[in-house]
Amino acid sequence: MPGSGSSEEQVSGAKVIVQALKTQNVEYMFGVVGIPVTEIALAAQELGIRYIGMRNEQAIDIYAEELGNNVRPSVTLLGDANAVSKQLLEQFDKTPWQFPTDSKWWKTLREKMKSNEAVSKELASKRSLPMNYYTVFYHVQEQLPRDCFIVSEGANTMDIGRTVLQNYLPRHRLDAGSFGTMGVGLGFAIAAAVVAKDRSPGKRVVCVEGDSAFGFSGMEVETICRYNLPIILLVINNNGIYQGFDADTWEKMLNFQEAVTAAPPMGLLPNSHYEQVMTAFGGKGYFVKTPEELQNSLRQTLEDASKPCLINIMIEPQSTRKAQDFHWLTRSNIPGQHGCPDSNDFGNLSPTLLPIHRIPADFHQQCPSSLSSASHRNQDMEAG
């Protein structure tokens, strides 16, 4: 302490924190710098922990109350992923078990997979322009390295990408998950690329983003370029959230009224050149509209790993996924309150059928709690 006459070296709180992390074998840290994180980041570098300074502050957590809210599970697990996985593996070591491959469940699943594959191939074979999701993913899948990391984020982009873009190695897929936590995609890609660059030189990270999802953390492109990470960003651009509008339709709407009144909230500025965000920071960027342009740009990018790249892929604004048997996150198990109908009465309505601004004005008086529930659910789905 000052004035105590002690010759002992003073240790800052930041260094104590980092020493504790070092003891736990932490090798990498990611975070937005600022007081007091800056001191911790500097201490981390001093003690040999690699610190990656990010641009977007994001937190993810799953609350116990949410488990089973969408589809009722038989068993729920809540805990640290590493600890829970170890406990499960330890139990399986004691009692080996495998789900019977000749079971009815497996048979039904295989039949469904075969049916989905046939539908996806038919959609991918369409040669019309602008392209649809399936056409894009078909051409991407053709060229993807088998050992690449695949990160996906978005609504239709992530859902369709999960079924078409194949992984061949464990722990090589990262995405926003069933709850559609937007904004995590580029962070996941950066983390995967930092580790890959250290431990598996030459391995690529392919981050597939919807245009809306890209907007949540697009400034992380600067982070990607600052550390020159081996990331290929594919932005699937349909000019909107779920669905958008072509440039002509957008212009006509603005001729009718100003954007804040005429433009639906799901619409984004048509033909936005997101690839210029990448070139602004020194990376490579491509703006593509045809399968041939997509194939050429992806091939060039895979051949030259000297810089990160963003390929901005224009698709049909009204393109969507194949018909679904059920809607995503719309089967709430929370019962109705105050005499209102059960929330499941609204569960089968998609956000395009029940946008918030179309709910009758007197609905508040009729059923205030359900309106609030429907509003939150629509906002959640639009964010996804």
Side-chain angles (χ1 to χ4, degrees):
M1 297 292 292
S4 65
S6 172
S7 60
E8 293 184 7
E9 181 184 356
Q10 296 183 38
V11 179
S12 68
K15 188 167 287 188
V16 170
I17 292 172
V18 174
Q19 286 172 338
L21 294 172
K22 186 80 172 178
T23 302
Q24 297 299 318
N25 299 317
V26 171
E27 298 180 50
Y28 304 91
M29 292 177 65
F30 301 80
V32 178
V33 292
I35 299 172
V37 179
T38 302
E39 289 77 8
I40 297 173
L42 291 171
Q45 291 180 322
E46 182 182 343
L47 293 181
I49 295 178
R50 299 194 174 201
Y51 189 92
I52 293 83
M54 308 290 286
R55 300 294 296 267
N56 178 47
E57 192 169 26
Q58 192 93 17
I60 305 174
D61 201 357
I62 296 295
Y63 291 96
E65 293 84 352
E66 290 294 328
L67 295 174
N69 182 37
N70 184 32
V71 178
R72 294 189 187 279
S74 299
V75 178
T76 60
L77 299 174
L78 177 67
D80 177 78
N82 188 44
V84 171
S85 298
K86 284 182 177 178
Q87 291 167 2
L88 289 171
L89 290 172
E90 288 171 0
Q91 189 60 40
F92 281 128
D93 285 340
K94 296 176 183 177
T95 312
W97 179 83
Q98 184 179 23
F99 199 86
T101 57
D102 58 350
S103 66
K104 181 180 179 181
W105 181 82
W106 264 117
K107 181 181 178 182
T108 303
L109 183 61
R110 291 191 186 100
E111 290 174 351
K112 186 63 176 175
M113 290 168 62
K114 189 174 181 180
S115 172
N116 286 343
E117 185 178 359
V119 174
S120 296
K121 282 186 176 180
E122 181 182 355
L123 290 168
S125 67
K126 295 184 181 299
R127 301 292 298 176
S128 58
L129 293 177
M131 297 180 285
N132 64 47
Y133 286 101
Y134 294 87
T135 302
V136 168
F137 286 133
Y138 171 78
H139 290 293
V140 170
Q141 174 61 31
E142 277 192 321
Q143 296 194 52
L144 281 187
R146 290 178 67 90
D147 66 345
C148 72
F149 291 94
I150 297 178
V151 180
S152 59
E153 179 180 30
N156 291 332
T157 297
M158 184 176 72
D159 293 342
I160 299 170
R162 279 173 160 178
T163 63
V164 180
L165 301 179
Q166 300 299 306
N167 281 95
Y168 301 97
L169 297 173
R171 302 175 70 180
H172 276 61
R173 180 184 291 275
L174 297 162
D175 62 37
S178 300
F179 283 82
T181 309
M182 294 296 101
V184 301
L186 270 67
F188 282 170
I190 289 169
V194 167
V195 176
K197 193 173 182 179
D198 283 349
R199 302 183 182 180
S200 306
K203 185 173 287 192
R204 308 299 287 275
V205 176
V206 179
C207 182
V208 186
E209 297 275 313
D211 51 342
S212 171
F214 177 71
F216 280 80
S217 54
M219 195 49 66
E220 294 294 5
V221 168
E222 185 275 331
T223 309
I224 293 170
C225 291
R226 191 188 337 144
Y227 295 105
N228 196 29
L229 298 175
I231 295 175
I232 301 171
L233 277 169
L234 305 179
V235 177
I236 314 301
N237 190 348
N238 70 340
N239 299 335
I241 305 167
Y242 292 107
Q243 294 176 325
F245 302 90
D246 59 53
D248 290 341
T249 303
W250 184 265
E251 185 177 352
K252 289 176 182 177
M253 285 193 298
L254 297 193
N255 287 336
F256 176 69
Q257 282 182 321
E258 61 178 333
V260 292
T261 303
M266 296 83 72
L268 299 176
L269 193 65
N271 302 331
S272 294
H273 283 265
Y274 298 113
E275 78 284 356
Q276 293 182 6
V277 178
M278 178 64 79
T279 58
F281 294 113
K284 295 182 295 183
Y286 298 88
F287 183 79
V288 305
K289 294 183 176 181
T290 68
E292 293 74 23
E293 291 174 346
L294 172 58
Q295 290 170 325
N296 291 336
S297 60
L298 187 54
R299 182 172 59 254
Q300 293 173 28
T301 301
L302 289 169
E303 290 173 353
D304 180 10
S306 63
K307 292 182 178 180
C309 172
L310 190 154
I311 304 176
N312 186 11
I313 307 166
M314 299 305 303
I315 67 170
E316 166 58 49
Q318 296 297 306
S319 178
T320 186
R321 57 183 177 173
K322 64 182 180 63
Q324 302 294 297
D325 294 332
F326 56 88
H327 293 294
W328 174 78
L329 274 187
T330 54
R331 295 189 295 176
S332 176
N333 291 316
I334 301 174
Q337 299 176 2
H338 306 297
C340 296
D342 190 284
S343 57
N344 284 315
D345 293 343
F346 304 98
N348 291 324
L349 295 175
S350 72
T352 53
L353 294 178
L354 184 61
I356 299 305
H357 61 279
R358 293 184 187 174
I359 295 177
D362 61 348
F363 197 78
H364 281 86
Q365 287 74 35
Q366 297 177 22
C367 191
S369 63
S370 288
L371 175 60
S372 175
S373 175
S375 299
H376 286 303
R377 188 157 58 248
N378 273 275
Q379 290 166 0
D380 289 343
M381 287 187 289
E382 288 181 10

